[in-house]
Amino acid sequence: MLKNYIKNFFLISSKQLSKYDTKTSQLSALKIILACGFLSIISIVLHNIWYAIQESNTPAIIVDVIYLVASFLPFIIFKQSPQRSAKYCLLVIASSGIVFAATIKNQHILHISLILMYIMPTLGGLFFSVRFAITLSAINLVTLGFILLGAKVNLFPNVDITLPFSFEYLHIFIFMAFNVALPFAAMRILYSLNANSKHMQSLYRRLNRNYALYEEIFEHTGTPTLLCNRHGKVLKANHKAKEFLAKGNINSIENSMINSWMSPISKASSGHYFWESNSTECSLKSSPDVHLELHRSSLTAHGHYVLHLQNITHLKALKLELVNTQETNARIVQFDSLTSFANHNHFCSEVNKRLRKHEAVNTGAMFIIRINQFKLLNKRYGKEQANKIILAFSKSLQNKISDQAIIGRLRGVKFACFVPLSHTYFIQRNLSSLINSILPEQLKIREDLLTIQYQVGVTYFPADGKNAEDLLEHCEMALEYTSEAERISYFDHEIEENLFEEHQLGMELNAAIKRNDIRIWLQPQVNQLGEIQSFEALARWQKKDGSFVSPMVFIRVAEALGLLPKLAENLLRELVSILHVWHRERINTPVAFNLAGQELMNDSFFALLMSLNADHPWLSKLLELEITETSQVMTHPLIHKRLKALSQYGFSIAIDDFGTGQASLGQLVDIPANILKIDRRFIDPLPDDARHLDIVKSTIQLANSLNMKVVAEGIETKQQANLLISLGCHTLQGYYYGKPTPSQEWTENNHAKAKELRMVY
């Protein structure tokens, strides 16, 4: 504990010895000197006071008391300022010499006491400056002369502070000063100087290593690099910079000016200090064709600049080449390569520019032209010849249409035109005549003259849209409502509302199919005696508000959105579950299930149907499959193949809505059907319409000749029923015999209704 206190007091602990500052070593040396001086003085003064009291030497007692107080003052002053303590010590030593010279009568003791003043230069050098130490040494020449000459000072002839032990006291004080205080103080400072020297050597080695590292980094920056001052004088250049700028004369760069090697290209950077810019494009004065880019970064510590040089000659050449090709590429990006008409984006851009100039265009019409049956032409003549048809059409269109019109090719065989109009052409008859007049009726391909048919969707500006995008969108809507009879369709907001309603209905239908909200209802089919012998399963969709959506509507929407397979899957699973219960209760009444053709084309649905048949061997006896004859896929070979497979597994196949769609008499032979359903549109006019009566008679006769059962649907009166029975119709269906009802009505109360109507065989 005491040892640590002493080390901390004298500032000689390992932590304090590791400090390299002069102040710490001076403080440590000063404390050593003060401590030695204090110990010497306090011991001498206490002994001398005791002896002076014995001798009744009042002057000696006064001097000793003064020295006793004076020995404490350095420690008080030291806390406030070490420099003041050092000055105080020098003052005490100097004043002591003067007092000794004036009051000690013994010459030998006086000379020894004056020797203490020789400490002053050492203290001055340790704690102040060399100049101050030299000054003190010069002052001590007076002390030396005083001792050598043996001079006497009689300021106080009656005062003598010499004591019997003065000689011993002086030797003790000199011993402590020259043998302890000064050597240890000097060693403390020398230790600090030595440690500081080693530290400086370490710093020097690190500095050399860092310098070598920075030199290597500077040399290997990867680019020609210069170090220069603010005035553009090159202080240092790496090897790449020397090779790039001076070629063979590499020693001439350093200490030269930057503007003697390069000059700025841009007028904005042509000032005298162009290297101060963050980035400047320059050219070499020795080779003006060589272009370089000068990048500056500041070294704030020294105010110098690091300049990186990048040779951009090849980039300039590439940029020039790019600029030359951009104009060509712009045509590729903005125009159709075959017809040179504007593409979709550029067409919209050009039309919008025209529309923004209200004084140039007050009214106008936009229309989309679509060439009909172009896929067949492409297949017949090949892609190359088909492209010639498109090219011939575009040239004919461009020759016939006004120069004020803007023409674009949207995609495939769709062309868009925007034509400024006078009020005369706002009459649809006049505008239709104008459109028909610019459309070529025939185009020549090889030696053939092809008659071309078109579909056209038309909108008016500004009534139907304020910009090209809206007008094109409304043209597309109008195009969807063209038909064989009406090739030109005009947009109106009712079309938009219908499409929006269909879109909304489609989203609701999709959600309803996922929730399985569309349920099976059953309508009875009776024999000639009015007995139920089968049912037709019909889909019914009741919305949450209680309203019903017509099957004609949601089936059409489901077919357009590709939702029919999923809807049919849900209904089939529900129907099979009903039939499973009926089979267990021995209710063996078959149920007809409608398919629109799209379902049978779906592999997943067909696999489900075959899987259910495998799980329920009785299913083919209770489930009849009705194929809607209006389906466009009715003639697809895959449909025929799968219907034959289903027939082989025992399913009854019925052709629904016969005579209204795609089937022909020849397909009755190809399709393995054993039931023929007469559509309600042929039944409604009966019995009054003789023409429809002949059609029904011939259909029944045709079915009988093919051994097919006939089902007439849509019977609503007794007269219709009696007529069809008399014609030999096997099965009758319609509101006259029963409306469609939820399947639960036939199964509730332990199938009471089904059993009551003798549906159990």
Side-chain angles (χ1 to χ4, degrees):
M1 191 74 177
L2 180 61
K3 181 180 178 182
N4 291 335
Y5 176 79
I6 292 172
K7 285 184 176 182
N8 290 329
F9 179 78
F10 289 112
L11 305 178
I12 56 173
S13 64
S14 57
K15 180 180 179 181
Q16 291 156 336
L17 288 174
S18 64
K19 294 183 178 180
Y20 309 116
D21 59 303
T22 306
K23 184 178 179 180
T24 302
S25 60
Q26 285 183 337
L27 292 176
S28 178
L30 182 59
K31 284 190 173 187
I32 293 171
I33 293 171
L34 289 176
C36 292
F38 175 75
L39 291 175
S40 302
I41 291 172
I42 197 68
S43 60
I44 294 171
V45 166
L46 291 176
H47 181 267
N48 204 17
I49 289 174
W50 176 80
Y51 188 79
I53 291 172
Q54 297 295 327
E55 295 293 327
S56 300
N57 191 341
T58 302
I61 294 173
I62 293 172
V63 172
D64 289 333
V65 171
I66 292 172
Y67 271 96
L68 183 62
V69 174
S71 64
F72 283 102
L73 286 176
F75 295 99
I76 298 173
I77 299 172
F78 183 81
K79 293 181 179 180
Q80 298 175 355
S81 173
Q83 292 288 334
R84 290 182 181 179
S85 296
K87 291 177 181 179
Y88 176 79
C89 291
L90 289 173
L91 179 61
V92 170
I93 294 171
S95 60
S96 297
I98 296 171
V99 171
F100 291 157
T103 57
I104 296 176
K105 304 302 181 183
N106 187 320
Q107 290 294 316
H108 185 60
I109 294 174
L110 174 60
H111 292 168
I112 294 174
S113 63
L114 290 177
I115 290 173
L116 288 172
M117 296 183 69
Y118 295 164
I119 300 174
M120 291 169 60
T122 304
L123 293 177
L126 289 175
F127 303 112
F128 298 101
S129 63
V130 175
R131 183 179 295 179
F132 187 57
I134 294 172
T135 303
L136 294 176
S137 295
I139 293 172
N140 270 339
L141 290 175
V142 177
T143 305
L144 178 63
F146 191 86
I147 295 171
L148 294 177
L149 297 175
K152 295 181 180 181
V153 180
N154 294 317
L155 294 176
F156 305 101
N158 297 323
V159 179
D160 185 8
I161 63 171
T162 305
L163 296 174
F165 302 100
S166 295
F167 185 78
E168 288 80 0
Y169 295 157
L170 290 172
H171 274 284
I172 292 171
F173 203 83
I174 291 171
F175 173 80
M176 290 296 290
F178 290 98
N179 194 61
V180 179
L182 291 179
F184 281 99
M187 282 189 287
R188 175 64 179 90
I189 292 177
L190 288 173
Y191 180 87
S192 294
L193 291 174
N194 186 40
N196 189 47
S197 175
K198 292 180 179 179
H199 179 63
M200 292 301 294
Q201 290 177 2
S202 174
L203 291 177
Y204 181 74
R205 288 192 296 270
R206 288 174 58 188
L207 184 62
N208 281 340
R209 286 197 301 269
N210 289 339
Y211 176 79
L213 178 62
Y214 296 148
E215 182 80 12
E216 186 176 356
I217 292 172
F218 183 79
E219 188 63 36
H220 297 88
T221 56
T223 59
T225 305
L226 301 174
L227 178 67
C228 72
N229 62 16
R230 292 182 180 274
H231 304 291
K233 182 179 180 180
V234 179
L235 304 177
K236 192 171 183 59
N238 66 3
H239 187 69
K240 285 191 174 184
K242 293 175 181 178
E243 286 186 344
F244 180 63
L245 294 177
K247 306 278 187 245
N249 190 15
I250 61 176
N251 294 323
S252 61
I253 294 179
E254 293 182 356
N255 296 320
S256 64
M257 300 301 292
I258 292 175
N259 52 14
S260 63
W261 300 99
M262 63 190 78
S263 57
I265 295 175
S266 172
K267 292 182 179 179
S269 303
S270 59
H272 186 62
Y273 296 104
F274 63 86
W275 54 86
E276 292 185 341
S277 301
N278 290 331
S279 180
T280 307
E281 190 174 330
C282 303
S283 63
L284 287 183
K285 287 190 173 181
S286 58
S287 302
D289 294 336
V290 177
H291 292 248
L292 59 96
E293 201 167 54
L294 186 148
H295 299 277
R296 175 189 66 83
S297 57
S298 297
L299 293 178
T300 56
H302 301 91
H304 296 159
Y305 297 141
V306 173
L307 305 178
H308 299 284
L309 312 179
Q310 183 181 4
N311 190 346
I312 59 170
T313 306
H314 65 292
L315 294 178
K316 294 280 286 186
L318 288 175
K319 184 178 179 180
L320 181 61
E321 183 179 350
L322 181 62
V323 169
N324 292 333
T325 57
Q326 275 180 339
E327 295 180 0
T328 305
N329 293 338
R331 294 200 59 83
I332 297 174
V333 172
Q334 297 177 348
F335 295 90
D336 175 57
S337 59
L338 178 63
T339 63
S340 296
F341 286 162
N343 61 18
H344 183 281
N345 291 336
H346 190 55
F347 174 78
C348 290
S349 175
E350 290 298 308
V351 172
N352 286 330
K353 285 180 184 177
R354 184 79 62 85
L355 296 182
R356 281 193 288 268
K357 299 177 181 178
H358 294 293
E359 66 279 2
V361 179
N362 291 322
T363 58
M366 183 179 290
F367 48 92
I368 293 179
I369 306 165
R370 180 167 62 194
I371 302 176
N372 276 358
Q373 298 179 334
F374 192 79
K375 289 183 179 179
L376 296 177
L377 295 176
N378 198 359
K379 187 174 182 180
R380 178 180 177 184
Y381 293 104
K383 184 177 180 181
E384 183 178 351
Q385 295 299 325
N387 284 341
K388 289 183 179 180
I389 295 175
I390 294 175
L391 190 58
F393 169 79
S394 64
K395 288 181 178 178
S396 175
L397 182 65
Q398 194 168 28
N399 291 334
K400 291 183 177 182
I401 204 165
S402 166
D403 292 338
Q404 298 297 317
I406 301 174
I407 310 174
R409 183 185 180 188
L410 302 183
R411 57 190 176 278
V413 290
K414 280 187 179 180
F415 296 83
C417 297
F418 178 79
V419 183
L421 295 180
S422 65
H423 291 287
T424 304
Y425 289 100
F426 264 73
I427 302 172
Q428 290 187 359
R429 182 181 65 254
N430 294 343
L431 183 57
S432 297
S433 300
L434 173 65
I435 293 173
N436 285 323
S437 68
I438 64 175
L439 298 178
E441 294 181 0
Q442 290 184 327
L443 293 174
K444 188 173 183 180
I445 182 73
R446 297 177 183 170
E447 299 301 323
D448 300 335
L449 280 176
L450 302 178
T451 300
I452 305 298
Q453 294 182 337
Y454 308 94
Q455 291 172 296
V456 183
V458 187
T459 59
Y460 285 109
F461 169 79
D464 298 332
K466 304 298 182 183
N467 55 55
E469 290 77 10
D470 290 345
L471 292 170
L472 278 178
E473 183 181 352
H474 293 158
C475 282
E476 294 279 7
M477 290 181 183
L479 198 63
E480 295 301 317
Y481 281 83
T482 57
S483 62
E484 291 288 334
E486 295 292 337
R487 299 287 184 178
I488 300 177
S489 175
Y490 289 83
F491 172 81
D492 61 47
H493 291 284
E494 186 178 348
I495 290 177
E496 187 174 22
E497 290 174 5
N498 291 341
L499 290 174
F500 178 77
E501 288 175 2
E502 284 194 8
H503 174 71
Q504 187 68 26
L505 183 64
M507 292 192 295
E508 293 179 9
L509 177 61
N510 187 27
I513 292 173
K514 289 181 179 179
R515 294 193 304 265
N516 204 13
D517 287 347
I518 302 175
R519 313 299 299 180
I520 288 285
W521 285 29
L522 300 176
Q523 184 176 26
Q525 297 173 336
V526 302
N527 60 18
Q528 294 175 346
L529 299 176
E531 298 171 340
I532 296 176
Q533 62 178 13
S534 59
F535 287 93
E536 181 179 6
L538 301 172
R540 292 294 183 267
W541 178 19
Q542 186 176 16
K543 299 171 77 173
K544 291 183 178 180
D545 59 2
S547 62
F548 284 87
V549 181
S550 169
M552 298 292 291
V553 174
F554 73 75
I555 292 296
R556 176 177 55 81
V557 173
E559 187 173 11
L561 297 178
L563 299 174
L564 270 183
K566 181 60 180 175
L567 173 60
E569 179 182 331
N570 292 348
L571 296 175
L572 180 62
R573 290 183 185 276
E574 181 184 358
L575 180 57
V576 170
S577 66
I578 294 172
L579 293 177
H580 178 71
V581 176
W582 285 16
H583 177 70
R584 193 174 60 226
E585 296 291 333
R586 299 184 180 278
I587 301 174
N588 298 318
T589 304
V591 179
F593 185 74
N594 284 284
L595 296 175
Q598 191 181 107
E599 302 94 319
L600 285 176
M601 292 289 290
N602 185 275
D603 295 339
S604 177
F605 177 81
F606 184 72
L608 171 66
L609 183 57
M610 299 301 290
S611 174
L612 290 172
N613 184 58
D615 294 339
H616 307 290
W618 45 264
L619 184 62
S620 61
K621 303 299 181 183
L622 294 182
L623 182 64
E624 295 178 358
L625 301 178
E626 288 189 4
I627 306 301
T628 303
E629 194 256 349
T630 55
S631 172
Q632 294 183 358
V633 297
M634 185 69 178
T635 58
H636 198 284
L638 182 61
I639 293 290
H640 296 173
K641 181 179 178 180
R642 288 184 171 177
L643 287 176
K644 287 179 181 178
L646 291 170
S647 178
Q648 290 173 358
Y649 277 96
F651 286 99
S652 294
I653 309 296
I655 296 178
D656 195 14
D657 301 335
F658 180 75
T660 62
Q662 304 292 325
S664 65
L665 294 178
Q667 287 171 332
L668 286 177
V669 179
D670 295 332
I671 297 174
N674 52 7
I675 301 172
L676 192 64
K677 294 192 72 174
I678 303 175
D679 187 70
R680 68 176 62 250
R681 74 180 62 184
F682 300 114
I683 304 299
D684 283 343
L686 299 180
D688 301 326
D689 192 308
R691 188 177 181 85
H692 283 80
L693 180 59
D694 290 340
I695 293 174
V696 171
K697 281 182 181 179
S698 61
T699 302
I700 294 174
Q701 290 172 1
L702 176 64
N704 289 333
S705 66
L706 295 174
N707 294 320
M708 299 176 71
K709 185 173 73 172
V710 180
V711 178
E713 60 181 0
I715 301 171
E716 296 186 356
T717 65
K718 184 177 181 179
Q719 291 82 359
Q720 291 174 341
N722 291 335
L723 177 61
L724 289 167
I725 291 171
S726 66
L727 293 175
C729 185
H730 308 114
T731 306
L732 309 168
Q733 178 183 346
Y735 278 17
Y736 176 71
Y737 292 104
K739 294 181 179 181
T741 56
S743 61
Q744 296 90 327
E745 291 189 13
W746 300 92
T747 57
E748 63 187 7
N749 298 325
N750 196 22
H751 312 289
K753 188 173 182 179
K755 294 176 181 178
E756 178 186 351
L757 295 174
R758 294 187 298 170
M759 291 164 53
V760 181
Y761 299 100

